[in-house]
Amino acid sequence: MSERIVRTQVGIVGAGPAGLWLAHLLAVAGIDSVVLEKRPRAEIAATHRAGILEQGTVDLMTALGLDARMRAEGYAHHGIELRVAGQARRIDFADLVGRAVQLYPQQEVFSDLADGAAAKGLDVRFEVADVALHDLTGESPSITFTDADGTPTRVVCDFVAGCDGSRGISKRAIPEVLRTDHFREYPFGWFGILVEAEPSAPELIYANSDHGFALISQRTATTQRMYFQCDPTDSPDNWDDERIWDQLDACTAAPGFTLRRGPIFDKTVIPMRSYVCEPLQYGRLFLAGDAGHTVPPTGAKGMNLAAGDVSVLARSLERYYREGEADLLETYTATALSRVWKAQHFSWWMTSMLHTQPGASTFDRRRQLGELDLVTTSRAGSTYLAEAYTGWPLIPTRPGFLDPDTALGNVLASQLTGRETTASRP
Ligand code: PHB
């Protein structure tokens, strides 16, 4: 069968939030793209993922006109609880930084982005196979793949965006000699469950205890998401429901608190890793989102980092096409990674502060409790947590980067206003 040629400006590998956000932002700037995804759409929409959107990410969805379901079905959270050895201590985002986050799972963000892409006529192809990248250091890179209907196809483009997640092919296209893999593995993982029950508390509870870490999160009025610290090599088969509830109760015990139980309908063990690929650029290939870096879930940063990367990349591409300048593309790695490393620090810090370290000495444990005491009782300490959790600007605010005279400039500027999200409370 002969190869079908498709011509576009930006070929995007991966239709997760990073790839789809990028396609939407480029469309606002009048730049064409083709998005390629090997998984079926329904499978991505049905895969449970974490669920906190920073304020800037909420604002981005709003500026793209994709916020209706997020506001109707998600929940604005104006703080979190840190529970330390049975004592509840609230970090009040509204009071400390005047911002909020939105509880709305990644798979729902994906569905909204995919529906929005279809409505706008963007070229997003699911269930493609054999994706390979070519001529990334030349003027005209291309992506070959087998389309869903079996046709061998080549996307010929100016730039390739690698948005294909931590196990994708894009990162590996950067030769090992040119790439530094900054990597840290943690000696624990998260055991995650989905439960049919009412929320146990109005806000998320991050609990540190002598029995380990637990996070009581939420989904809807009738479905909850909970996690507890486990051995990273553990298997869900080792945990029956009774053992799970005993562990969650031990980690979250506090005067007057009852953890609401219900049927558990999903169990998974999630590894904890910190990773950054440097550089994020190779020739005309640019990595964004999990393709370039991963964080442990404790800081709720994963999807929000993708939003930052693609905001920077979209503006850099707009500058190239509209103003004929490649300067922002050339500095993409430095610009994107300056935000990523802040989030890497925050995610590592939350993880280290909240988990029980295997083999910790009494010094380690007392120091950790001292740190938690400081963070929850000092306004300066709490403010750092609140600022980082609700998120830094998705794009640099320096002049020249942000061009408010364009449609894309307006979309990107909308998340710098610092207003609290108006979405509903639970
Ligand atoms: C979740 O609801 O899945 C969730 C929330 C906060 C986190 C991680 C996961 O830090």
XYZ file of all heavy atoms in Angstrom, residues 310-370:
505
model
N 3.143 23.440 27.543
C 2.531 23.709 26.238
C 2.170 25.185 26.075
O 2.129 25.682 24.947
C 1.318 22.801 25.947
C 1.754 21.337 25.887
C 0.211 22.997 26.958
N 1.939 25.878 27.189
C 1.704 27.323 27.077
C 2.964 28.007 26.558
O 2.907 28.866 25.666
C 1.317 27.912 28.442
O 0.098 27.362 28.885
N 4.118 27.610 27.114
C 5.399 28.175 26.674
C 5.668 27.787 25.212
O 6.056 28.628 24.390
C 6.548 27.658 27.582
C 7.905 28.028 27.006
C 6.395 28.214 28.989
N 5.426 26.519 24.898
C 5.725 26.039 23.544
C 4.821 26.705 22.495
O 5.289 27.108 21.425
C 5.584 24.508 23.498
C 5.996 23.825 22.207
C 7.405 24.225 21.764
C 5.900 22.300 22.350
N 3.547 26.839 22.830
C 2.614 27.455 21.872
C 3.022 28.896 21.583
O 3.049 29.336 20.428
C 1.184 27.395 22.414
N 3.350 29.622 22.648
C 3.768 31.021 22.438
C 5.083 31.083 21.648
O 5.263 31.958 20.792
C 3.893 31.730 23.794
C 4.579 33.076 23.745
C 3.856 34.102 22.869
N 4.710 35.264 22.636
C 4.855 35.881 21.467
N 4.194 35.476 20.400
N 5.654 36.917 21.354
N 6.008 30.166 21.898
C 7.284 30.155 21.190
C 7.069 29.864 19.701
O 7.737 30.454 18.842
C 8.213 29.097 21.793
O 8.353 29.288 23.185
N 6.131 28.984 19.402
C 5.829 28.664 17.997
C 5.099 29.832 17.329
O 5.359 30.163 16.170
C 5.000 27.376 17.924
C 5.784 26.095 18.238
C 4.836 24.926 18.545
C 6.712 25.713 17.071
N 4.205 30.471 18.079
C 3.519 31.645 17.532
C 4.542 32.720 17.156
O 4.470 33.332 16.088
C 2.515 32.212 18.534
C 1.788 33.439 17.991
C 1.056 34.235 19.065
O 1.639 34.497 20.136
O -0.093 34.616 18.811
N 5.513 32.911 18.056
C 6.542 33.938 17.784
C 7.331 33.581 16.520
O 7.643 34.436 15.715
C 7.482 34.065 18.983
C 8.573 35.104 18.776
C 9.004 35.710 20.086
N 10.248 36.466 19.957
C 10.313 37.738 19.576
N 9.198 38.401 19.304
N 11.473 38.351 19.472
N 7.624 32.310 16.349
C 8.366 31.864 15.172
C 7.557 32.131 13.887
O 8.061 32.720 12.931
C 8.679 30.371 15.299
C 9.295 29.766 14.069
C 10.673 29.836 13.853
C 8.504 29.128 13.111
C 11.244 29.288 12.709
C 9.068 28.584 11.967
C 10.434 28.667 11.778
O 10.991 28.126 10.650
N 6.301 31.744 13.869
C 5.506 31.870 12.642
C 5.069 33.311 12.378
O 4.998 33.748 11.237
C 4.253 30.978 12.723
C 4.563 29.506 12.491
C 4.422 28.576 13.509
C 5.001 29.049 11.250
C 4.701 27.233 13.307
C 5.285 27.703 11.030
C 5.135 26.801 12.064
O 5.420 25.481 11.851
N 4.762 34.035 13.451
C 4.160 35.353 13.265
C 5.209 36.460 13.179
O 5.085 37.385 12.399
C 3.220 35.626 14.447
C 2.206 36.707 14.212
C 1.205 36.756 15.350
N 0.757 38.128 15.497
C 1.315 38.992 16.330
N 2.298 38.623 17.116
N 0.852 40.221 16.385
N 6.251 36.307 14.018
C 7.255 37.367 14.089
C 8.568 36.941 13.469
O 9.525 37.723 13.439
C 7.457 37.784 15.557
C 6.209 38.443 16.151
C 5.988 38.056 17.615
O 6.871 38.301 18.434
O 4.924 37.494 17.926
N 8.645 35.700 13.000
C 9.849 35.218 12.328
C 11.059 35.091 13.234
O 12.197 35.141 12.772
N 10.816 34.938 14.539
C 11.930 34.850 15.503
C 11.936 33.474 16.166
O 10.921 33.037 16.704
C 11.769 35.915 16.600
C 11.846 37.345 16.108
C 13.276 37.779 15.761
O 14.226 37.019 16.064
O 13.421 38.872 15.181
N 13.101 32.833 16.176
C 13.219 31.503 16.800
C 13.761 31.588 18.222
O 14.022 30.563 18.853
C 14.116 30.610 15.953
N 13.906 32.822 18.749
C 14.565 32.959 20.066
C 13.852 32.205 21.183
O 14.487 31.550 22.013
C 14.752 34.444 20.429
C 13.451 35.245 20.360
O 12.461 34.736 19.790
O 13.417 36.380 20.877
N 12.519 32.271 21.214
C 11.808 31.595 22.309
C 11.884 30.074 22.150
O 11.947 29.346 23.142
C 10.345 32.058 22.366
C 10.129 33.541 22.701
C 8.636 33.843 22.839
C 10.863 33.952 23.968
N 11.887 29.595 20.898
C 12.054 28.149 20.677
C 13.428 27.691 21.164
O 13.565 26.636 21.772
C 11.895 27.811 19.192
C 10.460 27.810 18.655
C 10.462 27.613 17.133
C 9.627 26.715 19.326
N 14.426 28.509 20.878
C 15.797 28.132 21.254
C 15.988 28.075 22.769
O 16.832 27.338 23.268
C 16.807 29.113 20.637
C 17.052 28.811 19.162
C 17.575 30.010 18.376
O 17.964 31.016 18.998
O 17.566 29.931 17.134
N 15.198 28.867 23.495
C 15.348 28.867 24.959
C 14.232 28.057 25.648
O 14.034 28.156 26.862
C 15.351 30.313 25.510
O 14.188 30.999 24.987
C 16.602 31.067 25.102
N 13.524 27.235 24.859
C 12.389 26.477 25.407
C 12.790 25.641 26.621
O 12.119 25.633 27.650
C 11.762 25.590 24.327
C 10.721 24.643 24.881
C 9.484 25.108 25.307
C 10.981 23.273 25.001
C 8.527 24.239 25.836
C 10.031 22.395 25.528
C 8.812 22.890 25.940
O 7.873 22.029 26.466
N 13.897 24.918 26.519
C 14.300 24.042 27.636
C 14.469 24.860 28.912
O 13.923 24.512 29.967
C 15.625 23.311 27.307
O 15.375 22.400 26.230
C 16.140 22.518 28.511
N 15.222 25.950 28.831
C 15.492 26.744 30.032
C 14.200 27.335 30.593
O 13.966 27.323 31.811
C 16.487 27.852 29.714
N 13.335 27.840 29.701
C 12.096 28.468 30.175
C 11.188 27.438 30.833
O 10.694 27.641 31.949
C 11.338 29.123 28.998
O 12.246 29.956 28.279
C 10.157 29.923 29.485
N 10.975 26.314 30.134
C 10.051 25.301 30.679
C 10.624 24.690 31.956
O 9.915 24.517 32.949
C 9.777 24.222 29.636
N 11.930 24.393 31.943
C 12.489 23.705 33.114
C 12.582 24.596 34.348
O 12.618 24.089 35.470
C 13.859 23.098 32.794
C 13.844 21.847 31.909
C 15.222 21.196 31.876
C 12.793 20.826 32.350
N 12.589 25.914 34.175
C 12.653 26.735 35.387
C 11.362 26.558 36.198
O 11.390 26.532 37.428
C 12.917 28.211 35.064
O 11.766 28.811 34.561
N 10.237 26.373 35.512
C 8.988 26.095 36.233
C 8.963 24.642 36.727
O 8.538 24.353 37.849
C 7.801 26.373 35.307
C 6.460 26.295 35.993
C 5.342 26.761 35.056
N 4.113 26.995 35.810
C 3.276 26.029 36.180
N 3.527 24.785 35.871
N 2.183 26.341 36.874
N 9.432 23.744 35.863
C 9.427 22.319 36.213
C 10.256 22.047 37.468
O 9.839 21.310 38.357
C 9.953 21.483 35.018
C 10.285 20.054 35.454
C 8.936 21.476 33.877
N 11.441 22.667 37.572
C 12.280 22.380 38.747
C 11.684 22.919 40.038
O 11.891 22.356 41.105
C 13.715 22.895 38.538
C 14.546 21.922 37.742
C 15.087 22.104 36.506
C 14.929 20.581 38.141
N 15.778 20.979 36.098
C 15.700 20.035 37.084
C 14.695 19.802 39.268
C 16.231 18.737 37.131
C 15.219 18.519 39.324
C 15.976 18.003 38.268
N 10.925 24.003 39.954
C 10.226 24.471 41.164
C 9.222 23.408 41.609
O 9.094 23.096 42.792
C 9.486 25.780 40.890
C 10.392 26.983 40.735
C 9.549 28.245 40.643
C 10.356 29.372 40.049
N 9.876 29.823 38.748
N 8.509 22.879 40.627
C 7.504 21.851 40.940
C 8.173 20.549 41.367
O 7.632 19.814 42.200
C 6.607 21.615 39.723
N 9.345 20.254 40.796
C 10.077 19.063 41.239
C 10.434 19.221 42.715
O 10.279 18.298 43.506
C 11.363 18.869 40.420
C 11.129 18.326 39.030
C 10.674 16.867 39.009
O 10.626 16.206 40.025
N 10.330 16.383 37.841
N 10.922 20.395 43.059
C 11.273 20.611 44.461
C 10.046 20.464 45.351
O 10.064 19.762 46.361
C 11.914 21.982 44.703
C 12.059 22.239 46.166
N 12.970 21.578 46.945
C 11.315 22.997 47.004
C 12.800 21.932 48.206
N 11.811 22.791 48.278
N 8.956 21.125 44.962
C 7.746 21.085 45.784
C 7.229 19.653 45.951
O 6.864 19.237 47.056
C 6.661 21.983 45.164
C 5.361 21.943 45.913
C 5.273 22.477 47.200
C 4.236 21.358 45.352
C 4.079 22.428 47.903
C 3.046 21.304 46.059
C 2.963 21.839 47.330
N 7.218 18.891 44.852
C 6.693 17.518 44.910
C 7.597 16.633 45.767
O 7.115 15.801 46.544
C 6.592 16.933 43.494
O 5.834 17.790 42.672
N 8.896 16.803 45.621
C 9.853 16.048 46.443
C 9.693 16.426 47.918
O 9.687 15.576 48.805
C 11.282 16.357 45.965
C 12.335 15.923 46.934
C 12.930 14.702 47.018
C 12.894 16.724 47.996
N 13.823 14.688 48.063
C 13.820 15.905 48.687
C 12.700 18.038 48.424
C 14.556 16.363 49.776
C 13.422 18.494 49.527
C 14.340 17.655 50.173
N 9.533 17.723 48.166
C 9.418 18.236 49.529
C 8.151 17.717 50.213
O 8.204 17.214 51.349
C 9.436 19.765 49.485
C 9.232 20.445 50.800
C 10.097 20.469 51.855
C 8.083 21.201 51.209
N 9.553 21.189 52.891
C 8.322 21.654 52.519
C 6.881 21.539 50.581
C 7.395 22.431 53.222
C 5.956 22.310 51.272
C 6.215 22.755 52.574
N 7.010 17.825 49.548
C 5.756 17.315 50.115
C 5.890 15.816 50.380
O 5.442 15.321 51.418
C 4.601 17.558 49.127
C 4.132 18.990 49.049
S 3.092 19.467 50.460
C 1.477 18.818 49.940
N 6.504 15.108 49.431
C 6.658 13.658 49.565
C 7.536 13.335 50.773
O 7.176 12.505 51.615
C 7.277 13.085 48.272
O 6.420 13.432 47.177
C 7.421 11.573 48.344
N 8.687 13.999 50.879
C 9.622 13.705 51.971
C 9.044 14.107 53.321
O 9.249 13.437 54.327
C 10.935 14.466 51.784
O 11.360 14.364 50.469
N 8.314 15.217 53.313
C 7.791 15.729 54.580
C 6.646 14.854 55.109
O 6.465 14.733 56.319
C 7.290 17.171 54.366
C 6.692 17.824 55.589
S 6.409 19.578 55.328
C 5.108 19.587 54.100
N 5.873 14.271 54.194
C 4.635 13.611 54.623
C 4.742 12.098 54.768
O 3.935 11.484 55.458
C 3.501 13.960 53.654
C 2.999 15.408 53.778
C 2.170 15.819 52.566
C 2.166 15.560 55.048
N 5.701 11.465 54.100
C 5.790 10.002 54.167
C 6.685 9.554 55.311
O 7.585 10.278 55.730
C 6.321 9.431 52.853
C 5.333 9.539 51.740
N 5.017 10.739 51.159
C 4.587 8.609 51.107
C 4.108 10.538 50.220
N 3.830 9.250 50.170
N 6.456 8.339 55.766
C 7.352 7.710 56.731
C 8.483 7.078 55.940
O 8.250 6.308 55.010
C 6.591 6.627 57.525
O 5.493 7.250 58.172
C 7.487 5.971 58.551
N 9.707 7.454 56.272
C 10.869 6.918 55.550
C 11.230 5.557 56.155
O 11.469 5.485 57.363
C 12.075 7.858 55.668
C 11.812 9.300 55.262
C 11.702 9.478 53.747
O 12.199 8.668 52.982
N 11.035 10.537 53.315
N 11.308 4.493 55.328
C 11.743 3.209 55.883
C 13.120 3.384 56.524
O 13.999 4.027 55.959
C 11.828 2.298 54.643
C 11.004 2.969 53.587
C 11.048 4.438 53.880
N 13.286 2.847 57.723
C 14.578 2.910 58.411
C 14.876 4.262 59.038
O 16.019 4.527 59.412
N 13.871 5.131 59.165
C 14.110 6.465 59.744
C 14.536 6.344 61.207
O 14.004 5.517 61.950
C 12.842 7.308 59.637
N 15.480 7.174 61.616
C 15.919 7.184 63.011
C 14.969 8.072 63.816
O 14.127 8.779 63.247
C 17.341 7.734 63.094
O 17.332 9.098 62.689
N 15.102 8.073 65.127
C 14.267 8.968 65.939
C 14.586 10.421 65.601
O 13.717 11.279 65.613
C 14.474 8.733 67.456
O 15.875 8.864 67.729
C 13.983 7.367 67.869
N 15.857 10.689 65.239
C 16.203 12.052 64.813
C 15.393 12.434 63.567
O 14.775 13.510 63.503
C 17.708 12.173 64.502
C 18.066 13.534 63.963
C 18.385 14.581 64.820
C 18.031 13.789 62.584
C 18.662 15.852 64.320
C 18.302 15.055 62.085
C 18.625 16.091 62.954
N 15.409 11.540 62.561
C 14.691 11.828 61.299
C 13.212 12.124 61.581
O 12.636 13.062 61.037
C 14.771 10.622 60.349
C 16.195 10.298 59.934
O 17.040 11.215 59.919
O 16.461 9.110 59.632
N 12.605 11.293 62.414
C 11.164 11.432 62.677
C 10.858 12.721 63.441
O 9.933 13.453 63.092
C 10.685 10.194 63.458
C 9.218 10.215 63.794
C 8.340 10.118 62.539
N 6.922 10.181 62.854
C 6.042 10.928 62.193
N 6.428 11.657 61.159
N 4.776 10.930 62.532
N 11.654 13.023 64.457
C 11.408 14.248 65.229
C 11.646 15.477 64.347
O 10.946 16.469 64.435
C 12.319 14.318 66.453
C 12.025 13.282 67.497
C 10.656 13.528 68.170
N 10.548 12.798 69.414
C 10.284 11.491 69.511
N 10.081 10.782 68.400
N 10.213 10.910 70.683
N 12.664 15.433 63.509
C 12.937 16.553 62.605
C 11.746 16.767 61.673
O 11.302 17.895 61.436
C 14.206 16.268 61.781
C 14.636 17.459 60.913
C 15.371 17.048 59.646
N 14.613 16.138 58.814
C 13.597 16.487 58.027
N 13.195 17.742 57.953
N 12.973 15.585 57.315
N 11.201 15.654 61.153
C 10.050 15.739 60.246
C 8.843 16.365 60.951
O 8.151 17.225 60.386
C 9.719 14.315 59.766
C 8.735 14.234 58.630
C 8.458 12.778 58.272
O 8.312 11.921 59.146
N 8.402 12.505 56.985
N 8.615 15.974 62.200
C 7.490 16.552 62.948
C 7.734 18.038 63.208
O 6.803 18.846 63.161
C 7.281 15.793 64.273
C 6.712 14.374 64.110
C 6.771 13.613 65.435
C 5.279 14.416 63.586
N 8.999 18.392 63.444
C 9.337 19.810 63.617
C 9.037 20.592 62.350
O 8.486 21.705 62.391
